[in-house]
Amino acid sequence: MSNFTAALGLVADPFVLGVILVAAIFGLFVGAIPGLSATMAVALLVPVTFFMDPVPAIAMMVTSTAMAITSGDVPGCLLRIPGTPSSAAYTDEAYNMTRKGLADQALGASIVFSFVGGLFGTLVLITCAPMLANFALNFSSYEFFWLVVLGLSCSIVITPASQLKGFVSLLIGLLLACVGMNNPAAYPRFTFGNEDLMNGVTLLPMMVGMFAIAEVLRYAVNSQDRLGEVKAQIGNIFTGMWTLTKKYPLSILRGSVLGTVVGALPGAGADIAAWMSYGMSKKFSKEPEKFGTGHVEGIVEAGASNNSALAGAWIPALVFGIPGDSITAIVVGVLYMKNLTPGPMIFTNNAVEMYSIFLVFIIANIIMLPLGYALVKIARNVLRVPRSMLMPIILLFSIVGTFAINNSPFDVIIMMMMGLLAYVMEENEFPIAPAVLGVVLGGMLEENFISSMIKADGDFSMFFSRPIAAVLGVVAILIWSVPFIKLFLGKSKPPSGGNEDPVNKPGINT
């Protein structure tokens, strides 16, 4: 109890509270700008932490990350441009709600259930960190391979129209993931002698292109198309949130649990958690046909998932020094720099600092509500800007933001090409979400498959040799077998009226 009291005194320090507030505003700003990311927000803050004590330094990173993940939903909802990769899973859903005049409900669900998921993940971090970290360490390349396969399965589940077109879009994403030298053999593939392609197709330029540039092209081709015009006013975003909580309690719990577990798996993170949760939401929904048309259920579950994954990623980082995602990879370095050596003894040797981190997580999620509300009040003015003015501004910010990622003109070219590809795909009713997911998970799929085959000496049965891997493998195979089973049953089913006596059919002479 004395450790908790001491931690409370550290966090209640005016300087620490000021750092939390400034970091929150910074995170909201970075997350709301397409092309930037929560990882970039944390990376930009590292030099500032050199001059801080451990608690304010870690508080700055925790707060900015939580805010960036949440604010990334705002441009996705209003402009169909996800602010961060973890918002891409339900960007189309949120934007369709905006077009239906439900922007306030979509934004409210994103912020409120991000808050709920973040608190859930924090609670798990506080109470179950060592246990979940041990579970996460049981995952070898076999388990990760099947986990990625399950994640890719979501691309078929979340496709609102033809599953075949969703599968083709997924293959396009996996093909793009093959470009470059980021493969187990470090062999340049599909580079065509271009050195800039050695690093592959970068995810952020691709996302900006597929969501932002495609929208600009669509408007340029048909400027009279008013489908994208949004006239709805955004009122109180918290209205109706309690109703949604009572309507979708299982979705909230499922998203929070899945996000925490996926976040605790090294190398996974909020992006994969959001995609998997959105797919799970549609799979278990009572109204799956409404997904993709502007249905709030998927936003509720995936929004809870991506923020709970943030806290989950800290579990292996604190207990074993193994980062759960790119953000905690940076944080682990800062922990070492502040003499907070990650490991099982950190909770004993640095108990006060650990309690302080837990309190910061709680505070960051609580202030998410008022600051998120303020952000929406400011951002809603974008709906009043004529699209003839808005589209050039979006194009300008997309180019500047994409160039700023690596200071590379080639990234801008990639963005433009991906925008053209996405425009052509959507004009032919091919969804782009599976393609994005293919790029996100393609490298991880190949790396874990090759590693597993090397360890198994080519014996594929070894993928089922471990209990967790066997369970995940069976589930994945069953999911991928469902369409073929339905096709087989459909063909074997006798046609209607097949049991009628042909002698008594009308028009047949006896």
Side-chain angles (χ1 to χ4, degrees):
M1 192 64 183
S2 59
N3 289 332
F4 177 79
T5 304
L8 188 61
L10 286 176
V11 175
D13 183 86
F15 176 74
V16 176
L17 295 176
V19 166
I20 291 175
L21 180 60
V22 171
I25 296 173
F26 175 74
L28 288 174
F29 175 76
V30 172
I33 297 180
L36 304 184
S37 65
T39 304
M40 184 177 294
V42 172
L44 291 173
L45 291 175
V46 170
V48 183
T49 63
F50 292 160
F51 311 99
M52 291 184 176
D53 292 331
V55 172
I58 302 301
M60 177 177 282
M61 294 191 162
V62 170
T63 308
S64 62
T65 304
M67 294 299 168
I69 293 292
T70 303
S71 65
D73 296 343
V74 176
C77 180
L78 300 182
L79 300 173
R80 195 173 174 265
I81 307 171
T84 59
S86 61
S87 304
Y90 46 91
T91 289
D92 282 338
E93 200 76 72
Y95 184 68
N96 284 330
M97 290 186 68
T98 300
R99 288 169 53 176
K100 291 164 65 174
L102 299 173
D104 48 358
Q105 187 183 65
L107 290 169
S110 298
I111 293 172
V112 170
F113 296 107
S114 291
F115 157 75
V116 174
L119 281 185
F120 179 90
T122 301
L123 180 63
V124 174
L125 172 64
I126 295 172
T127 58
C128 307
M131 182 180 65
L132 279 181
N134 280 322
F135 175 74
L137 286 181
N138 287 328
F139 273 59
S140 66
S141 59
Y142 300 116
E143 286 82 6
F144 273 112
F145 170 77
W146 288 120
L147 185 67
V148 173
V149 171
L150 286 173
L152 292 173
S153 305
C154 296
S155 66
I156 308 301
V157 175
I158 64 179
T159 303
S162 168
Q163 290 189 346
L164 178 60
K165 289 185 176 180
F167 183 70
V168 172
S169 178
L170 173 64
L171 291 181
I172 292 174
L174 291 175
L175 177 63
L176 291 173
C178 291
V179 176
M181 297 179 61
N182 298 324
N183 55 77
Y187 183 82
R189 299 181 302 196
F190 305 110
T191 59
F192 306 103
N194 190 323
E195 292 183 1
D196 290 309
L197 283 175
M198 292 294 184
N199 289 327
V201 177
T202 310
L203 177 62
L204 288 175
M206 173 193 172
M207 281 183 47
V208 174
M210 284 193 149
F211 286 100
I213 303 303
E215 196 68 25
V216 173
L217 286 174
R218 190 173 296 105
Y219 181 81
V221 170
N222 186 6
S223 60
Q224 301 302 316
D225 182 12
R226 298 300 175 187
L227 287 176
E229 298 284 0
V230 180
K231 299 295 184 182
Q233 296 293 320
I234 299 179
N236 186 351
I237 61 173
F238 299 132
T239 301
M241 292 302 107
W242 178 242
T243 302
L244 291 179
T245 303
K246 292 188 294 183
K247 187 176 182 180
Y248 302 117
L250 289 179
S251 297
I252 299 169
L253 179 61
R254 188 167 55 230
S256 299
V257 172
L258 180 62
T260 304
V261 173
V262 172
L265 301 176
D271 308 354
I272 298 176
W275 285 102
M276 294 185 69
S277 288
Y278 184 78
M280 291 281 286
S281 180
K282 182 177 180 181
K283 188 70 176 177
F284 292 102
S285 174
K286 296 179 181 178
E287 304 170 307
E289 70 282 355
K290 292 185 178 181
F291 278 68
T293 64
H295 187 49
V296 73
E297 186 176 356
I299 300 175
V300 169
E301 185 160 340
S305 180
N306 59 16
N307 264 61
S308 63
L310 295 180
W314 279 70
I315 295 172
L318 288 177
V319 180
F320 295 102
I322 300 174
D325 56 9
S326 56
I327 295 172
T328 47
I330 299 173
V331 170
V332 166
V334 175
L335 289 173
Y336 278 111
M337 184 177 65
K338 299 299 179 181
N339 294 319
L340 298 176
T341 305
M345 296 302 294
I346 193 172
F347 297 97
T348 302
N349 298 335
N350 305 100
V352 175
E353 287 80 2
M354 290 301 100
Y355 277 114
S356 300
I357 291 175
F358 298 153
L359 289 172
V360 168
F361 264 102
I362 295 173
I363 293 173
N365 283 285
I366 291 175
I367 64 174
M368 185 186 299
L369 295 177
L371 291 181
Y373 180 79
L375 175 66
V376 170
K377 286 296 183 182
I378 298 172
R380 67 178 180 177
N381 294 317
V382 76
L383 298 180
R384 301 173 185 172
V385 180
R387 291 179 74 80
S388 57
M389 294 176 58
L390 188 61
M391 288 302 165
I393 294 174
I394 291 175
L395 179 61
L396 176 63
F397 272 95
S398 298
I399 293 173
V400 173
T402 299
F403 178 80
I405 296 171
N406 296 310
N407 292 328
S408 170
F410 187 75
D411 282 348
V412 179
I413 297 175
I414 291 292
M415 176 193 70
M416 293 295 186
M417 294 178 64
M418 291 299 102
L420 179 60
L421 173 64
Y423 171 76
V424 172
M425 288 174 63
E426 290 193 314
E427 286 298 301
N428 291 278
E429 299 181 350
F430 284 86
I432 62 174
V436 175
L437 186 61
V439 174
V440 171
L441 296 180
M444 190 182 297
L445 177 73
E446 181 181 19
E447 180 181 347
N448 286 291
F449 178 75
I450 297 298
S451 299
S452 300
M453 291 299 287
I454 291 174
K455 289 190 295 185
D457 197 22
D459 183 5
F460 193 76
S461 65
M462 292 297 292
F463 282 80
F464 300 89
S465 61
R466 296 160 59 91
I468 299 177
V471 173
L472 293 175
V474 170
V475 172
I477 292 173
L478 287 176
I479 290 176
W480 284 84
S481 301
V482 167
F484 299 101
I485 294 174
K486 288 183 177 179
L487 181 64
F488 174 77
L489 293 177
K491 286 184 177 181
S492 61
K493 184 178 179 180
S496 58
N499 294 327
E500 294 178 7
D501 186 354
V503 176
N504 298 323
K505 279 187 177 181
I508 297 182
N509 297 325
T510 55

